[in-house]
Amino acid sequence: MTAHPPSAEPEASRTPSAGPRRPAVARPADPERARAEQRARRFVDAALELLAARPGGDFTVQDVVKTSGQSLRSFYQHFTGKHELLLALFEESARRAADRLRRTLAEEPDAAACLRRFTPEYARLCRPRPGGGERAREHAVLGMPEPARQLLTERPEEMARAFAPLRAVLEELLDRAAADGVVRPGLDHRLVAGTLLHAVTFQPFALTVGGIGRDAGEQDAEALGDMLLRGITAPGANG
């Protein structure tokens, strides 16, 4: 892996790489890879700690380096800049959220109940939690619509990959619901999943434009889910 030494230039002036480099996967037979993974993990954990304390992504690379206790040179050996680190954070956060949603939705008796519960549960995972601790770090990344919007504009393919685990959960639910006759036939489930995930992730913007305020409460999430589900529910279904 080619090291990217620290530069005096602002991050925005650097030429972006063709794609983000992800930390090497640790292998038992390769101690150096394992050490590289641990160093990258410390940068990710430091960024999550900062996000839990400063919702919205208001931190610098220097902040991450200081919090991690590592060097700036080491940071650029793993990430080309802050945007690539944020991509790695979105990937991890989406994977954790997908795992949590699968466990939560497994409690529901059928596909219709799962669909009704998906939106408010995902909205909770997108809502920043005040204070520190593991729960606050879990919610820190998905609760950042501004950085997500910028990354979706500048790195759409990579963000699509980052959100793939969440999209897969929802597509599976839609497939089950279609088989049960809960949703209308002929829908593009990939498009529906993407639309719903986008709507929930960026709900704070919709609330602001609607003059409601940016703090999405439980009732707001349930109302959004009800509105979206009514548009795809099959006639006569109880979904």
Side-chain angles (χ1 to χ4, degrees):
M1 181 180 294
T2 303
H4 287 254
S7 169
E9 297 179 89
E11 183 180 322
S13 68
R14 301 193 191 105
T15 302
S17 61
R21 294 164 300 155
R22 295 291 174 253
V25 176
R27 299 175 183 174
D30 193 336
E32 181 54 38
R33 282 183 180 271
R35 285 192 291 271
E37 174 72 10
Q38 290 171 0
R39 288 192 294 269
R41 179 74 253 173
R42 285 166 65 184
F43 287 123
V44 170
D45 287 343
L48 287 172
E49 181 179 338
L50 289 167
L51 285 173
R54 312 174 190 177
D58 185 21
F59 66 84
T60 66
V61 168
Q62 287 74 17
D63 292 332
V64 174
V65 169
K66 181 178 179 180
T67 303
S68 73
Q70 301 184 100
S71 70
L72 190 63
R73 180 176 295 275
S74 178
F75 177 88
Y76 284 112
Q77 289 175 336
H78 297 286
F79 305 98
T80 59
K82 180 178 176 180
H83 282 180
E84 188 172 304
L85 175 61
L86 285 171
L87 275 168
L89 293 176
F90 271 108
E91 283 185 358
E92 176 163 330
S93 186
R95 176 182 54 78
R96 287 186 179 185
D99 290 343
R100 181 176 290 274
L101 285 166
R102 287 186 190 281
R103 292 195 300 270
T104 300
L105 298 176
E107 303 168 1
E108 297 297 336
D110 52 42
C114 285
L115 278 177
R116 285 195 300 271
R117 190 169 178 182
F118 181 92
T119 298
E121 289 294 338
Y122 178 53
R124 285 192 197 96
L125 296 176
C126 291
R127 194 176 305 141
R129 292 291 184 92
E134 185 65 26
R135 293 299 298 276
R137 288 194 291 272
E138 271 190 27
H139 292 246
V141 179
L142 291 176
M144 300 191 307
E146 289 88 350
R149 180 183 58 169
Q150 187 173 4
L151 289 170
L152 282 167
T153 300
E154 298 177 358
R155 307 257 184 114
E157 293 182 0
E158 291 154 309
M159 281 294 276
R161 288 195 294 271
F163 275 87
L166 283 166
R167 194 172 61 243
V169 172
L170 188 48
E171 285 185 63
E172 290 169 15
L173 287 182
L174 290 166
D175 290 344
R176 286 174 53 201
D180 292 347
V182 174
V183 299
R184 291 188 283 110
L187 292 173
D188 184 336
H189 291 177
R190 190 177 181 89
L191 176 60
V192 172
T195 301
L196 194 150
L197 289 170
H198 182 277
V200 177
T201 303
F202 294 96
Q203 189 185 17
F205 292 134
L207 293 169
T208 299
V209 172
I212 301 170
R214 293 180 62 87
D215 296 327
E218 191 128 346
Q219 290 183 341
D220 297 303
E222 291 178 357
L224 174 64
D226 183 65
M227 178 181 69
L228 294 169
L229 290 179
R230 284 179 184 276
I232 64 174
T233 300
N238 294 320

